[in-house]
Structure formats: C-alpha cells, structure tokens
Amino acid sequence: MNILFFELEGWERPYLEKRLPAGHAVDYYNHKVTGADAQKLAGCDILSTFIFSQVNAEILRLAPALKLVATRSTGYDHIDCAAAKKNGIQVSNVPEYGSNTVAEHTFALLLALSRRVIPAYTRTRAGAFDTSGLRGFDLRGKLLGVVGTGNIGLHVIRMATSFGMRVIAYDPFPRKSLADILNFEYVPFDALISESDVITLHCPATEENQHMVRAESIAKMKRGVVLINTSRGALVNTHDLLVALENKHVAAAGLDVLEGEHYIKEDVQLLKDANRAQLLAAIETHKLLARENVIVTPHNAFNSEEAVQRIVTTTVENINTFIATGKSANPVA
Ligand code: NAD
C-alpha cells in the first residue's frame, strides 16, 4: 500500500514508523493536502489527514487508487463522504479520544469569560492591580443548555453539575436513562435556547443544522446569554453573532471553532480560493477576533498530551485493521 500522512507534527512520524506494518510505502508531510499534491496523490491507497485538509471531490479525483481516508479527528465534515462513497472509498475517524479534553476546554472558555480572566491577566501584566471592570458572574445556580449529548456533551454536563449549575439539553437522539443519572433534563431546542443562561454546542455540523445559531434563534435567547462553541464553526452564523454581541443581546462568546477557519489560518489561500460570501465571512470573523467580549482559541480544544496520543493510536488501529481485513475500524462512511 501507498500511505500518505498530511498535517503531521514532528513527534508523530517516529511513533507511526514503529507501529505501521512493514512492507508499505509511507510518506509523511507536515502541510495540509491540496491540489498541489496531485503527484503524491496519484498512487495513494490510504490518506490520513487532520481537519484542516479539505478532502473534497477534487482531492479524491486526484487519487484514483484511494481506498481509505483515515482522518485523525472525530469530526469528518472536512471530507466529502458522499463523493468517497460513490468512489468506493472508506472513511474512518477517531470516535473517542478526548471527550473530557474538549469538555475541559469548554470550561476553560466559560470560566475565562465568567471570571474575566483575559482582561485581568492583561491588566496585571501591565502592572495595574485595580479590580474595576473585572466583576464576573458565578456559574453556580446558572442554567446551562447543552446542545448535543454525545461523548463530549455528557462530560460537559458532568462537570457543570459539579459547579452547581442546573442543566437542560437538546439532542434528536436523547439518552433518557443518562438524564436521570447525570441529573439533567431533555427539552426541545427552542426551550433550550430561550431558557438557558449559557448555551454550549456539542453536536456535529451537518447540512441540516448549519447556522443553528442565527438571528432567528438568537432573538429567542435570553438577553445577556453566553455562547460557547467548541464543536464546529458552521453551526453559528458569524454575522448574526457579531450583531448580537454588538447590541449586547449575547453578552459574551467563547469560540474554539470559527466559520471558514481553514481560510483564517492562511490569508493567501483565502484570496486564491474564496468566493465573495467566504471573503465577507472572513472579514466578519476578524471583527469577532477583535471584540473584548469574545475569546477565540484556534481549534485547540482537543490539544492535550493525552488526547493527541490517543488520536494517533486509534489512527494506526484504523489503518492496520484496513490493511489486514480490507475493512477499517471506526468507519463513518
Ligand atoms: P458524538 O457523536 O459523541 O455526539 C454528538 C451528539 O450530537 C449525538 O448525541 C447526536 O445525536 C447529537 N446531535 C446530532 N445532531 C444534532 C442536532 N442537530 N442538535 C443537537 N444534537 C445533535 O460527538 P462528540 O464526540 O461529542 O463530538 C461533538 C462534536 O465536537 C464533533 O462533531 C466535533 O465537531 C466537535 N469536536 C471538536 C473538537 C475541537 O477540538 N474543538 C474536538 C473533537 C470534537
């Protein structure tokens, strides 16, 4: 097999070299895969990327021998799974590597906002020790709305209740027995967004739920609500969130993911590829980054020592199982 890894960090290569079976041609690259990799893709059987590579129909077309895309992530919305299926290409992901890790980051964002950690830090670094303007709010007693009660959402709920928060949740596939054990209540989406003091998103991005947070849904939210998104940027309409932050309907936002974040990483790519709507979205995202009541982290919620180790371990399992049996472990399409 000809196996290509993209978006690798330095430490991953020796780890992979030790664990992949001998007798296969394996190439390791740090950059994300693009059309410029056409030559490399031409003979590729197995392609492994992280989330910043857009594995779209064009990339799949450039890899006529491709049999497996093994993404080193849970989310797979950067892969055109329909095109993969049409071409008989399997797609595997890493379903569980750090649900607690992302949940902990959710609270890192929420606590940074609730206790005004960033302005407090910036000020004290500059030598100012007064507390004016730094008053925060307690989490205890607040109502948290959790959208998506999968692996990450459930860890968030567990952590929230230990802070003394009350929790409601929405999920099209509720797990009612867990609601009793973890002490939360399932409600319809509209009830969740209208009642919650803090809303946190933990569902995958699909065509159906694109912009689930937009002007219409924000209008139903409590004035002063706090929004946390560690899930996917496409769930939130950037323009509508900006307007709501400006008019203070949304008091603050903690965002680990942004619409079009792969463009934000690389301005050159943006100018080359993006259409007018994507350019406008990128400008609005830059406006978000500059706001004082917004904290943005660069899709970093997964990034703990323990979690990244588990990602590579599962990816090796996915690839080795595919090589041995022709079927990947953890298939998503
Ligand atoms: P999961 O599959 O365990 O759970 C997702 C849950 O969302 C499921 O219970 C599903 O029924 C529910 N759901 C689906 N559509 C929904 C909708 N429209 N409204 C409400 N709920 C809906 O996934 P997970 O491991 O908990 O991960 C959740 C998301 O977090 C992933 O899809 C991924 O996009 C994101 N994620 C982000 C990072 C990061 O670094 N920021 C890391 C890992 C995962």
Side-chain angles (χ1 to χ4, degrees):
M1 295 267 179
N2 182 343
I3 308 171
L4 299 184
F5 285 92
F6 288 88
E7 298 184 79
L8 278 184
E9 289 179 14
W11 66 272
E12 291 170 297
R13 178 174 178 160
Y15 183 91
L16 290 165
E17 280 174 342
K18 273 198 206 128
R19 285 160 183 85
L20 290 167
H24 301 282
V26 190
D27 290 309
Y28 304 89
Y29 301 102
N30 299 334
H31 65 278
K32 57 187 192 178
V33 69
T34 66
D37 296 299
Q39 261 189 337
K40 301 179 185 91
L41 288 166
C44 174
D45 296 294
I46 298 177
L47 171 67
S48 178
T49 73
F50 190 50
I51 52 165
F52 296 109
S53 292
Q54 297 302 302
V55 186
N56 51 29
E58 171 62 7
I59 295 294
L60 299 179
R61 192 185 62 74
L62 293 172
L66 193 60
K67 297 167 186 65
L68 173 70
V69 179
T71 185
R72 300 192 303 284
S73 59
T74 302
Y76 45 89
D77 49 308
H78 56 294
I79 301 167
D80 187 336
C81 289
K85 197 171 179 185
K86 209 167 127 196
N87 294 319
I89 300 165
Q90 297 181 43
V91 178
S92 68
N93 75 340
V94 183
E96 163 61 41
Y97 63 85
S99 306
N100 67 298
T101 310
V102 178
E104 285 173 25
H105 195 83
T106 301
F107 275 91
L109 292 172
L110 178 53
L111 286 164
L113 290 167
S114 69
R115 304 317 310 258
R116 308 212 13 90
V117 173
I118 309 289
Y121 167 81
T122 311
R123 243 198 249 183
T124 49
R125 290 271 290 188
F129 262 73
D130 75 292
T131 57
S132 59
L134 293 182
R135 182 156 301 151
F137 63 88
D138 285 355
L139 296 187
R140 187 187 161 129
K142 295 291 183 304
L143 185 62
L144 178 71
V146 177
V147 180
T149 56
N151 293 320
I152 296 170
L154 290 173
H155 275 285
V156 167
I157 292 170
R158 182 178 56 75
M159 292 173 194
T161 49
S162 66
F163 274 103
M165 299 184 89
R166 297 170 295 124
V167 182
I168 53 177
Y170 165 73
D171 194 306
F173 303 99
R175 294 151 88 176
K176 295 226 165 76
S177 56
L178 288 176
D180 292 337
I181 296 166
L182 289 174
N183 198 18
F184 70 95
E185 188 192 345
Y186 279 109
V187 296
F189 181 68
D190 270 8
L192 182 142
I193 55 169
S194 58
E195 290 168 23
S196 301
D197 299 305
V198 178
I199 297 172
T200 184
L201 307 180
H202 301 290
C203 58
T206 62
E207 272 177 29
E208 293 75 45
N209 68 15
Q210 191 193 14
H211 291 172
M212 67 182 349
V213 174
R214 56 177 180 274
E216 187 194 357
S217 41
I218 292 170
K220 293 176 188 162
M221 292 177 190
K222 269 186 172 175
R223 193 166 179 80
V225 67
V226 172
L227 176 73
I228 308 291
N229 187 8
T230 58
S231 204
R232 281 295 180 265
L235 297 172
V236 178
N237 181 308
T238 307
H239 171 81
D240 295 352
L241 177 62
L242 249 187
V243 171
L245 285 160
E246 259 158 30
N247 67 29
K248 302 209 168 58
H249 193 115
V250 174
L255 310 170
D256 185 51
V257 287
L258 295 166
E259 271 193 291
E261 61 191 22
H262 57 284
Y263 284 130
I264 297 159
K265 274 198 134 186
E266 284 168 38
D267 291 348
V268 177
Q269 197 75 19
L270 173 72
L271 293 171
K272 218 169 99 205
D273 293 351
N275 60 33
R276 192 179 144 74
Q278 287 165 327
L279 276 168
L280 279 175
I283 292 168
E284 298 210 289
T285 300
H286 279 284
K287 281 167 93 181
L288 259 188
L289 293 171
R291 290 198 65 86
E292 213 239 327
N293 55 351
V294 176
I295 294 178
V296 179
T297 48
H299 204 138
N300 197 45
F302 71 94
N303 198 5
S304 74
E305 291 287 348
E306 296 81 359
V308 294
Q309 191 66 59
R310 285 191 291 264
I311 289 176
V312 188
T313 306
T314 306
T315 302
V316 168
E317 276 166 27
N318 288 349
I319 292 174
N320 287 354
T321 306
F322 179 81
I323 290 173
T325 67
K327 291 242 175 292
S328 163
N330 301 310
V332 299

